[in-house]
């Protein structure tokens, strides 16, 4: 039984400052979608593996259960509006957002700091989330802008 207070645990976990990414995917002929995440992590260089965690309650669950690939797009500080937009329930679509086609069949955000185009390597059941592990097929690092940072449930800037 879980005896920990979820709200307090979430607050304490929020002390870990992270970057912010949008994970994009496309399933068959469906419109491409994206989801804002801060659970991204690098895992392995050989083979090249990365992960992120998907809430089983997300309205994007079905798409990410079916997809064969996904792309991690690391956001710049100037992309806060995009982060907010793709964290809204029922609004996963990328209409009007500049994208290019990736080698894994998924669109990637043209203006991201870095993108990692992955095939799905594994899905691991983990409590109320699914750990999505991707094998990187291609990556780009087109921009040297400052990253978007997330800490204590809000955005903040990097101290310089
Ligand atoms: C900064 C930030 C980080 C987030 N990180 C994650 C994450 O790692 N995994 C996840 O499933 N949802 C994460 N979310 C929430 C999803 O973006 C959001 O729940 C999803 O897009 C759809 O909303 P729904 O869960 O109400 O259907 C994050 C949201 C924000 C704003």
């Amino acid at each position: 039984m879980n005896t920990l207070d979820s709200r307090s645990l979430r607050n304490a976990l929020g002390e870990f400052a992270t970057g912010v990414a949008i994970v994009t995917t496309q399933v068959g002929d469906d419109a491409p979608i994206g989801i804002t995440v801060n659970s991204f992590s690098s895992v392995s260089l050989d083979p090249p593996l990365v992960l992120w965690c998907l809430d089983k309650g997300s309205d994007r669950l079905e798409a990410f259960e079916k997809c064969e690939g996904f792309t991690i797009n690391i956001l710049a500080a100037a992309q806060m509006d995009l982060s907010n937009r793709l964290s809204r329930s029922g609004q996963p679509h990328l209409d009007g957002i500049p994208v290019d086609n990736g080698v894994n069949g998924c669109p990637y955000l043209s203006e991201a700091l870095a993108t990692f185009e992955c095939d799905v390597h594994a899905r691991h059941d983990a409590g109320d989330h699914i750990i999505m592990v991707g094998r990187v097929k291609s990556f780009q690092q087109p921009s040297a802008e400052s990253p978007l940072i997330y800490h204590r449930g809000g955005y903040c800037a990097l101290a310089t």
Side-chain angles (χ1 to χ4, degrees):
M1 199 173 102
N2 175 17
T3 54
L4 301 179
D5 174 59
S6 295
R7 185 69 251 173
S8 305
L9 176 59
R10 200 170 165 161
N11 287 345
L13 290 169
E15 291 295 359
F16 188 60
T18 67
V20 182
I22 288 174
V23 186
T24 49
T25 194
Q26 179 152 21
V27 177
D29 292 332
D30 293 353
I33 64 159
I35 179 172
T36 301
V37 306
N38 69 338
S39 54
F40 169 72
S41 179
S42 58
V43 175
S44 163
L45 282 178
D46 187 14
L49 302 176
V50 298
L51 70 74
W52 63 285
C53 301
L54 173 65
D55 189 332
K56 289 179 183 171
S58 170
D59 64 354
R60 280 76 156 166
L61 178 67
E62 193 182 339
F64 283 107
E65 276 180 334
K66 283 188 190 161
C67 71
E68 294 175 3
F70 56 77
T71 295
I72 309 285
N73 303 268
I74 309 294
L75 297 188
Q79 293 178 303
M80 194 171 74
D81 289 350
L82 211 52
S83 172
N84 285 329
R85 172 175 158 180
L86 287 167
S87 66
R88 288 189 196 114
S89 198
Q91 295 182 49
H93 297 120
L94 307 179
D95 306 323
I97 300 171
V99 294
D100 291 292
N101 291 321
V103 295
N104 60 350
C106 303
Y108 65 87
L109 306 189
S110 317
E111 292 162 9
L113 284 189
T115 62
F116 302 94
E117 297 162 49
C118 303
D119 288 345
V120 174
H121 178 76
R123 291 177 175 88
H124 299 293
D125 190 74
D128 54 15
H129 279 62
I130 297 169
I131 302 171
M132 302 281 299
V133 182
R135 185 181 179 119
V136 181
K137 306 307 279 185
S138 179
F139 66 97
Q140 344 233 354
Q141 193 179 356
S143 164
E145 303 292 316
S146 292
L148 185 59
I149 305 291
Y150 197 68
H151 181 229
R152 293 185 185 159
Y155 301 105
C156 53
L158 262 190
T160 51

